Amino acid sequence: MSKRARKAWVGFDLGGTKMMAVVFDQQFKVLATAKAKTPVNEGAKAVLTQIRLTIREALHAAKIAPRALSGIGVGCPGVLDLDTGVILEAPNLAWRRVPLRRLLGRWFRCRVVLANDVDAGTYGEYRFGAGQNARTLLGVFPGTGIGGGCVYEGKLLRGKKGSAMEIGHIPARENSRLCGCGKRGCLEALAGRLAISAEVAQAAYRGEAPYIATHAGSDLKKMKSGLLAKAIKAGDAVVARILGDAMRLLGRTIGGVVNLLAPDVIVLGGGLVEAMPQLVLKEVKAGVQETAMSSFTRQLNVRIAKLGDNATALGAAALAAEAR
């Protein structure tokens, strides 16, 4: 390092079974990245230790001393108290009331900002990706769940203390499947990847999806987005129909949100979208047209996300840079 301290930001993505720390310079160009498996079965202390180590590994790779850090932004799953920086509940991590902002601030002696991971990804697309220059940006990320975020006039839409835009838990069908949230008929329970995979497994069991039957059988853990895409290319027409129906329902639900918020841009991201962008885009657009008012759809652009895995880290780092 030069004698003059270098300034940098860290964006941290805590979603899923893996974590990722990305070091950015002041212009948000990537300097280094470090990834690690999230030790979810080893308790909160093990996860926190791994977060600290992963950030240090990324800083070491970027040749940035911790004292040169301007701040850290973290995209987190679960229920957050954004004012205090406490993760109130993160079921995938088995966390309850973890004061992550205070801990990171103590370890690295810099500004720390927490955000919902989908909010951070949506903000990343607004600042650096497919949603640049939007007045009202709606981000929708279908995966195992279905996450949503909204940027309005440059600011994330949020509640008094926590994040908003839980689009996956909008009621989509009355008295339907039980959702992980405990309610019935949520969009996520009908159009999330787990719901799609369950229908595909049944089709494979009936002999209607030979590619899936050969490569996954009825094992839902093997039915990743990439496998579903390969099955469609291999000629499993029923998989394309199941996926299309789910994405059409997603689009119809998004259309209702369009009627409320009148966004000028919708960005679609996540694993399903990355694996099958054209199919998802076609069906979501068709669903939106079915339910959104024409006066709103005339000004609307529906786009595929551009930033991929870096969206959450970029957005979280940018939010840290803008915090006061």
Side-chain angles (χ1 to χ4, degrees), residues 61-185:
K63 297 181 172 59
I64 298 290
R67 66 179 179 274
L69 263 183
S70 297
I72 300 171
V74 186
C76 312
V79 182
L80 315 180
D81 185 324
L82 298 175
D83 292 340
T84 62
V86 173
I87 300 180
L88 299 176
E89 184 177 6
N92 292 343
L93 300 172
W95 278 10
R96 292 185 67 86
R97 303 199 67 83
V98 175
L100 186 58
R101 187 173 74 188
R102 178 173 60 80
L103 292 171
L104 287 172
R106 189 176 73 199
W107 294 336
F108 293 98
R109 303 293 180 183
C110 66
R111 177 191 308 170
V112 179
V113 171
L114 267 60
N116 172 269
D117 54 349
V118 178
D119 279 351
T122 299
Y123 193 73
E125 291 290 341
Y126 168 75
R127 281 288 308 275
F128 309 104
Q132 292 182 71
N133 302 315
R135 183 177 189 273
T136 304
L137 168 65
L138 176 65
V140 182
F141 295 78
T144 304
I146 299 177
C150 180
V151 177
Y152 175 70
E153 293 188 342
K155 299 292 184 182
L156 277 167
L157 189 67
R158 52 164 286 186
K160 183 177 181 180
K161 285 186 168 289
S163 62
M165 296 306 299
E166 288 286 356
I167 192 169
H169 298 289
I170 291 177
R173 195 168 294 156
E174 188 177 5
N175 296 324
S176 187
R177 294 176 189 159
L178 184 67
C179 181
C181 73
K183 307 295 183 181
R184 289 191 177 273

Side-chain angles (χ1 to χ4, degrees), residues 167-295:
I167 192 169
H169 298 289
I170 291 177
R173 195 168 294 156
E174 188 177 5
N175 296 324
S176 187
R177 294 176 189 159
L178 184 67
C179 181
C181 73
K183 307 295 183 181
R184 289 191 177 273
C186 293
L187 176 66
E188 186 173 295
L190 299 166
R193 186 167 58 80
L194 186 60
I196 292 168
S197 298
E199 281 198 54
V200 169
Q202 292 178 57
Y205 182 80
R206 294 192 299 265
E208 298 171 353
Y211 185 91
I212 293 292
T214 299
H215 292 85
S218 57
D219 188 348
L220 299 185
K221 291 183 179 179
K222 293 182 179 179
M223 292 191 196
K224 307 295 185 183
S225 300
L227 180 66
L228 298 176
K230 289 178 182 178
I232 292 172
K233 287 182 179 179
D236 281 3
V238 69
V239 178
R241 189 167 70 247
I242 290 168
L243 232 336
D245 289 346
M247 293 301 100
R248 182 69 65 97
L249 180 60
L250 175 62
R252 288 176 57 82
T253 307
I254 291 173
V257 180
V258 168
N259 291 336
L260 289 173
L261 298 178
D264 45 312
V265 178
I266 294 173
V267 171
L268 302 171
L272 275 173
V273 178
E274 291 173 10
M276 294 158 280
Q278 296 310 312
L279 185 154
V280 172
L281 190 62
K282 175 186 173 184
E283 295 298 337
V284 167
K285 280 184 173 181
V288 169
Q289 291 293 333
E290 289 177 11
T291 55
M293 295 171 63
S294 59
S295 59

